[in-house]
Amino acid sequence: MERPKPDETADRAFTVKVTAGVIAIAVAIWAVTFLVLPVIDVRNAGIDSWTAICRAIGIGSPSPPSSPSAPTVPVSKVAWTDLTMDLLAAGDSTRGEAMAQETCQACHIPNGLTADPETIPSITGLSPRALFKQLRDMRDGQRPSDVMSPMIADMTDRQFADVVAYYGSLPMRNSHLRNLKEPTAAAMTLATKGDTARALPACDSCHAATAGGPLEAPTLTGQYPVYVAAQLKAYAGASRNNDIYGRMRGVAQKLTDSEIADLAAYYNAPQ
Amino acid sequence: MAVDEISTVRSERIWTYAMVAVAAVMLVAIVHAGIAQHFGTPSNSIETVDPNTLHLAGEFVSENLGTRVGLDGKITTRVVTTQFAFAPDCVVVPQHMQVTLRAASPDVLHGLMIMGTNVNTMVVPGYVSQVHTVFDKTGEMLMPCHEFCGLGHSQMVARVRVVPLEDFQPDEQGRVSCADR
Amino acid sequence: MPTANRLVLAHIWTAFAAFGVAIVLGLWQMWVRSPLAAPLSSAENYFISVTAHGSAMAYVLTTFFIMGFGYFVAESALKTPLPYRGLGWFGFILGILGTVLVVATVLTGKATVMFTFYPPLTATPWFYLGLVMVVVGSWVWCALMLVAMARWKKTHPGQAVPLAMYATTANAVLWLWTTIGVAAELLLVVIPAAFGWTRAVDVGLTRTLFSWTLHAIVYFWLIPAYIAFYTMAPQAAGGRLFSDTMARISFILFLLCGLPVGLHHLFMDPEHSSGFKMVQMMLTVLVAVPTLLTVFTVTASLETAGRLNGGRGLLGWVAALPWKRPMVLATGLSFFMLWFGGFGGLINMSYGMNAMVHNTSWVTAHFHMIFGGSVVIMYFAIAYEIWPQLTGRSPTSLALQRAQLWLWAVGMMVLSLPWHWLGLQGQWRRVAHFDYSDPAIAWWAPWMIASLIGGAMLVVSAAMFIGNLITFHLKLQAAPPVRPMHYAVALHPGARLPSALNGFTLWNVFVLILMAAAYTYPIVQSFIINPPHAVVHRVDRAQ
């Protein structure tokens, strides 16, 4: 670089000027935001200047407003904490299979389908999280069941994790019955599109194989229609209420009996 | 052409100063609105909350949701935004009173706004969102989720019922809900 | 002698092919949202379509167009062959493979997370990897632009880099800074979660990192339009650029002020203090300055042209401009839309007013007006300007080009003005179906239909545009020899430029300082307060 001297001097002068300008603007912005405004704001908020400055930066949360402490009876004690997730991750399907042969297969027959589609759901290929939550709730009393609850009363969470790992590892079987009823167009609309006027989301937004909904939502494809209809009615009447924040009760209460029947048929039909 | 170099530079310079001044005026207006009229952003203090145990204990269990009048007389409305509904899906608030809206999410990102008001906040799992507002008009307004939260997002809409103060009758625990009326 | 024409054509045709598909999806989305019954309407189809439309328009159209145009500028402005052309093809192929991955994953319903991702919703990792490949391909382009400019400076010591190339390189530098945020989000948080290596994500952190990218990316899209304003429009109008220095300062200001402002997308978020939101709001106000400077310089340049053309009086020069030339017409239409878009932007960035419009249709309307309108219409004009160079053939009909530009601008107004209005009245975003039986929103119906008509006009205009470009290729031979590309030169060239305005070293130092001051704490905060993480919600398979 061979440049005459005056150019270099001019360049340097320009650089110095611009740098000073940028620094001045930046300092002004940061000073106004983190010093001037918090101190002015003190008068409104009734806090001291130091707290106000810290809060402008984002340091030091005020204690949250006194929250009411209603006696809490959670509708489900299952929570997707690290503990639960570790437990599920450690689920061993070999051990689960042995346990399934011992305890489950009388009703859920070896492939996870059913001995009686009127009362017993298909559990083959269901997500371990969906199965785990229901087992916990049945054992712990949030979803009491005359048959299941006594049967699993002595099982541990660890054993649940093994069993659900086994059933989750089975393929999704085509468990559809010979259809009692053709799925209706109305059911298809509800399942894929929902009904905005009633704030009913598409059933598929949680219950399809590729959904992205709540972690515990089961895939309904292939489920037995009598079981699906019975559960929807139980949610609608709140005799089943282990759905966190009432997510299913809110939906089921808005459905008519014929919609429930149609949807049950729709999910059982081969898709 | 009458445009010589000096006049070019001069007009440029005048324009630059004018534009910087415009920017400065806007800045002052915005800052003034923020400070003098409390026209700011929601949640200016950062509060965290565990989304995974939201339903088990603490402020956002089902029993605590909806509108409550505290012992200090302050009115707080708590909602949980979840896939794909608000809990509760209808809340009652009084007219002309300061109401604090607090929201949290147990699952994914949501947002909420109350149509026709300046209530608007994101609800980010892991944090509590808080907005203070005063409702001037009575009537029922929509409170939709305004951030994509999954395939059921379009149907995630709740209602806010603003009632005159005389119709705002808390029960002995300070609760007011849509079911009461 | 241009050597990279095929490279340029490959990039820009890819861009417009994606555009052509995405705009049809856009029309269908408007139809689904309207009160009219649309075919194939379901929740999943709608959000697949929105994801595809957004990814194609925001990532594929823009990135490929900007890369192709950059290669063209590097050769035509510097008048030297593009260095390492093979690497350019490498970047292109990487980008194409990435695009194929994105398209395949989105269309099969395995990536219904919008182009803005929204963790903890999580798609198949291949969707994100596809986007990473597009970005890495564009980094190759950035490197080539930097090398091309550096080489030219070495062989032309003491000379000012031609403005078009200086601005293109500014965009490459801006893009390198811009992509740091999204790259960090994807590589450090989202992709590990998508592969199942981690099972929960810090949502606040992902939003903060994405905000780093989210605003500067729009300046990346915008700069080609500004290059056309400064270097092509005055030339097409028969005048000169009013001031070269001012132009450089504008591009530098975009680089400085376009980056440390992303938190203004998070004004309504609970995870940041009001202080950092305020800082970035103030810097956002400053970013209006380069746009206003551009309005001045370009208007003054056009005025010069109009007066040379015999225009008299206060506004006589406007009528005297050669509006028959597509570049001049597009610039006028683009400026017109820029007023609306810029005004909307001022509302969005105002700390308090943002609460009225955040996540309403106002925002959607705003970026359609300013990006789809002001910017994309300049992409069209640039294509019309450079296609004779690339193909060696002259256009069939300027009238068809003008009609297409007019239809685009009118369509964009018809589309977005009702949309702005509905947003102001509280119409919320990203919704597939509205309940028009609700009295609170029943009155939206005619506005939605008006907007839909605007969408249809845009589809027709897009089809005309693609048709106009295809006619170049169908022509057997060029009739008149095409004159070489010529960029507008300054009214008063000659004065020596401070070396700082001929390079980026100083400005990179400033960007580093401003970004560090604006973003260090908001990012580090996540590790100080360590907020609870949210469990990944997969959209590509059962949980």
PDB file of all heavy atoms in Angstrom, chain A residues 181 184 186-187 190 195 198 200 203 228-230 232-234 236 249-264:
ATOM      1  N   LYS A 181     -70.568 -49.147  10.771  1.00  0.00           N
ATOM      2  CA  LYS A 181     -71.089 -47.899  10.257  1.00  0.00           C
ATOM      3  C   LYS A 181     -70.029 -47.259   9.375  1.00  0.00           C
ATOM      4  O   LYS A 181     -68.842 -47.292   9.716  1.00  0.00           O
ATOM      5  CB  LYS A 181     -71.342 -47.003  11.479  1.00  0.00           C
ATOM      6  CG  LYS A 181     -72.293 -45.889  11.256  1.00  0.00           C
ATOM      7  CD  LYS A 181     -72.574 -45.191  12.585  1.00  0.00           C
ATOM      8  CE  LYS A 181     -73.132 -43.834  12.253  1.00  0.00           C
ATOM      9  NZ  LYS A 181     -73.158 -42.924  13.348  1.00  0.00           N
ATOM     10  N   THR A 184     -68.783 -40.958   8.600  1.00  0.00           N
ATOM     11  CA  THR A 184     -69.512 -39.899   7.911  1.00  0.00           C
ATOM     12  C   THR A 184     -68.587 -38.745   7.534  1.00  0.00           C
ATOM     13  O   THR A 184     -67.502 -38.587   8.104  1.00  0.00           O
ATOM     14  CB  THR A 184     -70.617 -39.331   8.806  1.00  0.00           C
ATOM     15  OG1 THR A 184     -69.985 -38.807   9.977  1.00  0.00           O
ATOM     16  CG2 THR A 184     -71.619 -40.395   9.190  1.00  0.00           C
ATOM     17  N   ALA A 186     -69.231 -35.716   8.199  1.00  0.00           N
ATOM     18  CA  ALA A 186     -69.200 -34.817   9.353  1.00  0.00           C
ATOM     19  C   ALA A 186     -68.099 -35.236  10.327  1.00  0.00           C
ATOM     20  O   ALA A 186     -67.372 -34.395  10.867  1.00  0.00           O
ATOM     21  CB  ALA A 186     -70.556 -34.826  10.047  1.00  0.00           C
ATOM     22  N   ALA A 187     -67.958 -36.548  10.525  1.00  0.00           N
ATOM     23  CA  ALA A 187     -66.924 -37.027  11.436  1.00  0.00           C
ATOM     24  C   ALA A 187     -65.544 -36.702  10.873  1.00  0.00           C
ATOM     25  O   ALA A 187     -64.634 -36.292  11.606  1.00  0.00           O
ATOM     26  CB  ALA A 187     -67.068 -38.531  11.637  1.00  0.00           C
ATOM     27  N   LEU A 190     -64.798 -33.095  11.530  1.00  0.00           N
ATOM     28  CA  LEU A 190     -64.426 -32.859  12.928  1.00  0.00           C
ATOM     29  C   LEU A 190     -63.010 -33.362  13.210  1.00  0.00           C
ATOM     30  O   LEU A 190     -62.237 -32.711  13.918  1.00  0.00           O
ATOM     31  CB  LEU A 190     -65.394 -33.582  13.855  1.00  0.00           C
ATOM     32  CG  LEU A 190     -66.616 -32.818  14.334  1.00  0.00           C
ATOM     33  CD1 LEU A 190     -67.449 -33.701  15.241  1.00  0.00           C
ATOM     34  CD2 LEU A 190     -66.189 -31.550  15.078  1.00  0.00           C
ATOM     35  N   ASP A 195     -64.246 -27.764  14.534  1.00  0.00           N
ATOM     36  CA  ASP A 195     -65.387 -26.879  14.341  1.00  0.00           C
ATOM     37  C   ASP A 195     -65.101 -25.573  15.072  1.00  0.00           C
ATOM     38  O   ASP A 195     -65.205 -25.489  16.293  1.00  0.00           O
ATOM     39  CB  ASP A 195     -66.670 -27.537  14.867  1.00  0.00           C
ATOM     40  CG  ASP A 195     -67.884 -26.629  14.654  1.00  0.00           C
ATOM     41  OD1 ASP A 195     -67.721 -25.526  14.088  1.00  0.00           O
ATOM     42  OD2 ASP A 195     -68.986 -27.025  15.063  1.00  0.00           O
ATOM     43  N   ARG A 198     -67.567 -23.866  17.539  1.00  0.00           N
ATOM     44  CA  ARG A 198     -67.675 -24.399  18.900  1.00  0.00           C
ATOM     45  C   ARG A 198     -66.314 -24.480  19.589  1.00  0.00           C
ATOM     46  O   ARG A 198     -66.176 -25.127  20.620  1.00  0.00           O
ATOM     47  CB  ARG A 198     -68.307 -25.795  18.855  1.00  0.00           C
ATOM     48  CG  ARG A 198     -69.813 -25.768  18.568  1.00  0.00           C
ATOM     49  CD  ARG A 198     -70.393 -27.161  18.632  1.00  0.00           C
ATOM     50  NE  ARG A 198     -70.005 -27.968  17.467  1.00  0.00           N
ATOM     51  CZ  ARG A 198     -70.198 -29.275  17.380  1.00  0.00           C
ATOM     52  NH1 ARG A 198     -70.747 -29.932  18.374  1.00  0.00           N
ATOM     53  NH2 ARG A 198     -69.832 -29.929  16.297  1.00  0.00           N
ATOM     54  N   LEU A 200     -63.840 -26.208  18.747  1.00  0.00           N
ATOM     55  CA  LEU A 200     -63.417 -27.612  18.780  1.00  0.00           C
ATOM     56  C   LEU A 200     -62.234 -27.792  17.843  1.00  0.00           C
ATOM     57  O   LEU A 200     -62.398 -27.693  16.625  1.00  0.00           O
ATOM     58  CB  LEU A 200     -64.565 -28.508  18.296  1.00  0.00           C
ATOM     59  CG  LEU A 200     -65.620 -28.931  19.305  1.00  0.00           C
ATOM     60  CD1 LEU A 200     -66.733 -29.689  18.595  1.00  0.00           C
ATOM     61  CD2 LEU A 200     -65.015 -29.794  20.398  1.00  0.00           C
ATOM     62  N   CYS A 203     -59.658 -33.274  15.941  1.00  0.00           N
ATOM     63  CA  CYS A 203     -59.207 -34.355  16.833  1.00  0.00           C
ATOM     64  C   CYS A 203     -57.775 -34.758  16.468  1.00  0.00           C
ATOM     65  O   CYS A 203     -56.960 -35.083  17.326  1.00  0.00           O
ATOM     66  CB  CYS A 203     -60.123 -35.564  16.707  1.00  0.00           C
ATOM     67  SG  CYS A 203     -61.862 -35.153  16.888  1.00  0.00           S
ATOM     68  N   VAL A 228     -63.879 -45.955  22.471  1.00  0.00           N
ATOM     69  CA  VAL A 228     -63.708 -44.512  22.236  1.00  0.00           C
ATOM     70  C   VAL A 228     -64.975 -43.762  22.650  1.00  0.00           C
ATOM     71  O   VAL A 228     -64.921 -42.764  23.373  1.00  0.00           O
ATOM     72  CB  VAL A 228     -63.387 -44.225  20.748  1.00  0.00           C
ATOM     73  CG1 VAL A 228     -63.445 -42.733  20.454  1.00  0.00           C
ATOM     74  CG2 VAL A 228     -62.013 -44.780  20.395  1.00  0.00           C
ATOM     75  N   ALA A 229     -66.139 -44.286  22.225  1.00  0.00           N
ATOM     76  CA  ALA A 229     -67.395 -43.604  22.537  1.00  0.00           C
ATOM     77  C   ALA A 229     -67.609 -43.569  24.054  1.00  0.00           C
ATOM     78  O   ALA A 229     -68.017 -42.539  24.616  1.00  0.00           O
ATOM     79  CB  ALA A 229     -68.554 -44.307  21.843  1.00  0.00           C
ATOM     80  N   ALA A 230     -67.327 -44.679  24.716  1.00  0.00           N
ATOM     81  CA  ALA A 230     -67.537 -44.725  26.166  1.00  0.00           C
ATOM     82  C   ALA A 230     -66.649 -43.704  26.874  1.00  0.00           C
ATOM     83  O   ALA A 230     -67.083 -43.020  27.812  1.00  0.00           O
ATOM     84  CB  ALA A 230     -67.248 -46.131  26.684  1.00  0.00           C
ATOM     85  N   LEU A 232     -65.368 -40.893  25.606  1.00  0.00           N
ATOM     86  CA  LEU A 232     -65.830 -39.532  25.318  1.00  0.00           C
ATOM     87  C   LEU A 232     -67.024 -39.190  26.198  1.00  0.00           C
ATOM     88  O   LEU A 232     -67.123 -38.082  26.739  1.00  0.00           O
ATOM     89  CB  LEU A 232     -66.182 -39.390  23.832  1.00  0.00           C
ATOM     90  CG  LEU A 232     -64.976 -39.223  22.902  1.00  0.00           C
ATOM     91  CD1 LEU A 232     -65.392 -39.323  21.444  1.00  0.00           C
ATOM     92  CD2 LEU A 232     -64.290 -37.877  23.153  1.00  0.00           C
ATOM     93  N   LYS A 233     -67.922 -40.158  26.362  1.00  0.00           N
ATOM     94  CA  LYS A 233     -69.093 -39.893  27.204  1.00  0.00           C
ATOM     95  C   LYS A 233     -68.684 -39.748  28.662  1.00  0.00           C
ATOM     96  O   LYS A 233     -69.249 -38.926  29.396  1.00  0.00           O
ATOM     97  CB  LYS A 233     -70.126 -41.007  27.037  1.00  0.00           C
ATOM     98  CG  LYS A 233     -70.872 -40.858  25.711  1.00  0.00           C
ATOM     99  CD  LYS A 233     -71.905 -41.918  25.506  1.00  0.00           C
ATOM    100  CE  LYS A 233     -72.579 -41.712  24.154  1.00  0.00           C
ATOM    101  NZ  LYS A 233     -73.226 -42.922  23.669  1.00  0.00           N
ATOM    102  N   ALA A 234     -67.703 -40.523  29.081  1.00  0.00           N
ATOM    103  CA  ALA A 234     -67.247 -40.415  30.465  1.00  0.00           C
ATOM    104  C   ALA A 234     -66.619 -39.033  30.703  1.00  0.00           C
ATOM    105  O   ALA A 234     -66.845 -38.403  31.739  1.00  0.00           O
ATOM    106  CB  ALA A 234     -66.228 -41.515  30.767  1.00  0.00           C
ATOM    107  N   ALA A 236     -67.397 -36.324  28.983  1.00  0.00           N
ATOM    108  CA  ALA A 236     -68.476 -35.334  28.911  1.00  0.00           C
ATOM    109  C   ALA A 236     -69.222 -35.261  30.230  1.00  0.00           C
ATOM    110  O   ALA A 236     -69.588 -34.175  30.694  1.00  0.00           O
ATOM    111  CB  ALA A 236     -69.426 -35.684  27.768  1.00  0.00           C
ATOM    112  N   ARG A 249     -62.292 -32.998  28.699  1.00  0.00           N
ATOM    113  CA  ARG A 249     -63.657 -32.713  29.148  1.00  0.00           C
ATOM    114  C   ARG A 249     -64.229 -31.556  28.336  1.00  0.00           C
ATOM    115  O   ARG A 249     -65.365 -31.587  27.890  1.00  0.00           O
ATOM    116  CB  ARG A 249     -63.669 -32.378  30.639  1.00  0.00           C
ATOM    117  CG  ARG A 249     -63.647 -33.622  31.526  1.00  0.00           C
ATOM    118  CD  ARG A 249     -63.351 -33.269  32.961  1.00  0.00           C
ATOM    119  NE  ARG A 249     -61.952 -32.934  33.159  1.00  0.00           N
ATOM    120  CZ  ARG A 249     -61.433 -32.446  34.280  1.00  0.00           C
ATOM    121  NH1 ARG A 249     -62.227 -32.192  35.311  1.00  0.00           N
ATOM    122  NH2 ARG A 249     -60.143 -32.207  34.386  1.00  0.00           N
ATOM    123  N   GLY A 250     -63.403 -30.528  28.132  1.00  0.00           N
ATOM    124  CA  GLY A 250     -63.864 -29.363  27.383  1.00  0.00           C
ATOM    125  C   GLY A 250     -64.309 -29.735  25.974  1.00  0.00           C
ATOM    126  O   GLY A 250     -65.298 -29.221  25.462  1.00  0.00           O
ATOM    127  N   VAL A 251     -63.589 -30.668  25.362  1.00  0.00           N
ATOM    128  CA  VAL A 251     -63.944 -31.086  24.004  1.00  0.00           C
ATOM    129  C   VAL A 251     -65.188 -31.974  24.028  1.00  0.00           C
ATOM    130  O   VAL A 251     -66.148 -31.752  23.293  1.00  0.00           O
ATOM    131  CB  VAL A 251     -62.757 -31.844  23.361  1.00  0.00           C
ATOM    132  CG1 VAL A 251     -63.200 -32.569  22.095  1.00  0.00           C
ATOM    133  CG2 VAL A 251     -61.612 -30.876  23.075  1.00  0.00           C
ATOM    134  N   ALA A 252     -65.176 -32.980  24.918  1.00  0.00           N
ATOM    135  CA  ALA A 252     -66.248 -33.990  24.900  1.00  0.00           C
ATOM    136  C   ALA A 252     -67.599 -33.367  25.231  1.00  0.00           C
ATOM    137  O   ALA A 252     -68.627 -33.769  24.679  1.00  0.00           O
ATOM    138  CB  ALA A 252     -65.920 -35.109  25.884  1.00  0.00           C
ATOM    139  N   GLN A 253     -67.600 -32.369  26.111  1.00  0.00           N
ATOM    140  CA  GLN A 253     -68.867 -31.740  26.490  1.00  0.00           C
ATOM    141  C   GLN A 253     -69.545 -31.058  25.303  1.00  0.00           C
ATOM    142  O   GLN A 253     -70.745 -30.854  25.308  1.00  0.00           O
ATOM    143  CB  GLN A 253     -68.624 -30.709  27.600  1.00  0.00           C
ATOM    144  CG  GLN A 253     -68.527 -31.352  28.971  1.00  0.00           C
ATOM    145  CD  GLN A 253     -67.805 -30.481  29.974  1.00  0.00           C
ATOM    146  OE1 GLN A 253     -67.522 -29.323  29.707  1.00  0.00           O
ATOM    147  NE2 GLN A 253     -67.499 -31.055  31.131  1.00  0.00           N
ATOM    148  N   LYS A 254     -68.756 -30.686  24.307  1.00  0.00           N
ATOM    149  CA  LYS A 254     -69.342 -29.979  23.168  1.00  0.00           C
ATOM    150  C   LYS A 254     -69.855 -30.933  22.091  1.00  0.00           C
ATOM    151  O   LYS A 254     -70.503 -30.500  21.145  1.00  0.00           O
ATOM    152  CB  LYS A 254     -68.296 -29.055  22.546  1.00  0.00           C
ATOM    153  CG  LYS A 254     -67.894 -27.902  23.461  1.00  0.00           C
ATOM    154  CD  LYS A 254     -66.728 -27.146  22.861  1.00  0.00           C
ATOM    155  CE  LYS A 254     -66.168 -26.120  23.836  1.00  0.00           C
ATOM    156  NZ  LYS A 254     -64.816 -25.693  23.436  1.00  0.00           N
ATOM    157  N   LEU A 255     -69.518 -32.215  22.199  1.00  0.00           N
ATOM    158  CA  LEU A 255     -69.903 -33.156  21.141  1.00  0.00           C
ATOM    159  C   LEU A 255     -71.300 -33.720  21.406  1.00  0.00           C
ATOM    160  O   LEU A 255     -71.662 -33.984  22.551  1.00  0.00           O
ATOM    161  CB  LEU A 255     -68.895 -34.313  21.085  1.00  0.00           C
ATOM    162  CG  LEU A 255     -67.474 -33.953  20.680  1.00  0.00           C
ATOM    163  CD1 LEU A 255     -66.560 -35.165  20.847  1.00  0.00           C
ATOM    164  CD2 LEU A 255     -67.429 -33.443  19.252  1.00  0.00           C
ATOM    165  N   THR A 256     -72.058 -33.928  20.323  1.00  0.00           N
ATOM    166  CA  THR A 256     -73.355 -34.578  20.478  1.00  0.00           C
ATOM    167  C   THR A 256     -73.144 -36.089  20.497  1.00  0.00           C
ATOM    168  O   THR A 256     -72.081 -36.591  20.089  1.00  0.00           O
ATOM    169  CB  THR A 256     -74.287 -34.244  19.305  1.00  0.00           C
ATOM    170  OG1 THR A 256     -73.714 -34.782  18.113  1.00  0.00           O
ATOM    171  CG2 THR A 256     -74.449 -32.735  19.147  1.00  0.00           C
ATOM    172  N   ASP A 257     -74.149 -36.822  20.934  1.00  0.00           N
ATOM    173  CA  ASP A 257     -74.038 -38.282  20.986  1.00  0.00           C
ATOM    174  C   ASP A 257     -73.764 -38.868  19.610  1.00  0.00           C
ATOM    175  O   ASP A 257     -72.961 -39.790  19.460  1.00  0.00           O
ATOM    176  CB  ASP A 257     -75.324 -38.886  21.559  1.00  0.00           C
ATOM    177  CG  ASP A 257     -75.367 -38.723  23.080  1.00  0.00           C
ATOM    178  OD1 ASP A 257     -74.367 -38.237  23.649  1.00  0.00           O
ATOM    179  OD2 ASP A 257     -76.405 -39.066  23.677  1.00  0.00           O
ATOM    180  N   SER A 258     -74.431 -38.292  18.601  1.00  0.00           N
ATOM    181  CA  SER A 258     -74.229 -38.885  17.277  1.00  0.00           C
ATOM    182  C   SER A 258     -72.833 -38.546  16.756  1.00  0.00           C
ATOM    183  O   SER A 258     -72.208 -39.345  16.063  1.00  0.00           O
ATOM    184  CB  SER A 258     -75.326 -38.433  16.310  1.00  0.00           C
ATOM    185  OG  SER A 258     -75.107 -37.098  15.927  1.00  0.00           O
ATOM    186  N   GLU A 259     -72.319 -37.375  17.121  1.00  0.00           N
ATOM    187  CA  GLU A 259     -70.941 -37.057  16.714  1.00  0.00           C
ATOM    188  C   GLU A 259     -69.954 -38.010  17.373  1.00  0.00           C
ATOM    189  O   GLU A 259     -68.981 -38.449  16.755  1.00  0.00           O
ATOM    190  CB  GLU A 259     -70.605 -35.607  17.087  1.00  0.00           C
ATOM    191  CG  GLU A 259     -71.183 -34.599  16.112  1.00  0.00           C
ATOM    192  CD  GLU A 259     -71.016 -33.160  16.590  1.00  0.00           C
ATOM    193  OE1 GLU A 259     -70.879 -32.932  17.810  1.00  0.00           O
ATOM    194  OE2 GLU A 259     -71.020 -32.269  15.735  1.00  0.00           O
ATOM    195  N   ILE A 260     -70.216 -38.320  18.645  1.00  0.00           N
ATOM    196  CA  ILE A 260     -69.335 -39.255  19.350  1.00  0.00           C
ATOM    197  C   ILE A 260     -69.332 -40.605  18.631  1.00  0.00           C
ATOM    198  O   ILE A 260     -68.269 -41.182  18.367  1.00  0.00           O
ATOM    199  CB  ILE A 260     -69.788 -39.389  20.822  1.00  0.00           C
ATOM    200  CG1 ILE A 260     -69.405 -38.116  21.579  1.00  0.00           C
ATOM    201  CG2 ILE A 260     -69.176 -40.622  21.469  1.00  0.00           C
ATOM    202  CD1 ILE A 260     -69.859 -38.065  23.018  1.00  0.00           C
ATOM    203  N   ALA A 261     -70.510 -41.071  18.269  1.00  0.00           N
ATOM    204  CA  ALA A 261     -70.598 -42.364  17.571  1.00  0.00           C
ATOM    205  C   ALA A 261     -69.874 -42.291  16.220  1.00  0.00           C
ATOM    206  O   ALA A 261     -69.129 -43.196  15.846  1.00  0.00           O
ATOM    207  CB  ALA A 261     -72.062 -42.744  17.378  1.00  0.00           C
ATOM    208  N   ASP A 262     -70.083 -41.187  15.520  1.00  0.00           N
ATOM    209  CA  ASP A 262     -69.452 -41.037  14.204  1.00  0.00           C
ATOM    210  C   ASP A 262     -67.931 -41.002  14.313  1.00  0.00           C
ATOM    211  O   ASP A 262     -67.218 -41.612  13.514  1.00  0.00           O
ATOM    212  CB  ASP A 262     -69.917 -39.739  13.536  1.00  0.00           C
ATOM    213  CG  ASP A 262     -71.351 -39.833  13.049  1.00  0.00           C
ATOM    214  OD1 ASP A 262     -71.895 -40.962  13.057  1.00  0.00           O
ATOM    215  OD2 ASP A 262     -71.921 -38.796  12.683  1.00  0.00           O
ATOM    216  N   LEU A 263     -67.443 -40.256  15.286  1.00  0.00           N
ATOM    217  CA  LEU A 263     -65.988 -40.146  15.453  1.00  0.00           C
ATOM    218  C   LEU A 263     -65.384 -41.494  15.831  1.00  0.00           C
ATOM    219  O   LEU A 263     -64.311 -41.869  15.341  1.00  0.00           O
ATOM    220  CB  LEU A 263     -65.646 -39.111  16.530  1.00  0.00           C
ATOM    221  CG  LEU A 263     -65.748 -37.662  16.079  1.00  0.00           C
ATOM    222  CD1 LEU A 263     -65.663 -36.726  17.284  1.00  0.00           C
ATOM    223  CD2 LEU A 263     -64.633 -37.336  15.087  1.00  0.00           C
ATOM    224  N   ALA A 264     -66.083 -42.211  16.704  1.00  0.00           N
ATOM    225  CA  ALA A 264     -65.581 -43.531  17.108  1.00  0.00           C
ATOM    226  C   ALA A 264     -65.469 -44.430  15.885  1.00  0.00           C
ATOM    227  O   ALA A 264     -64.475 -45.138  15.705  1.00  0.00           O
ATOM    228  CB  ALA A 264     -66.511 -44.130  18.157  1.00  0.00           C
TER     229      ALA A 264
END
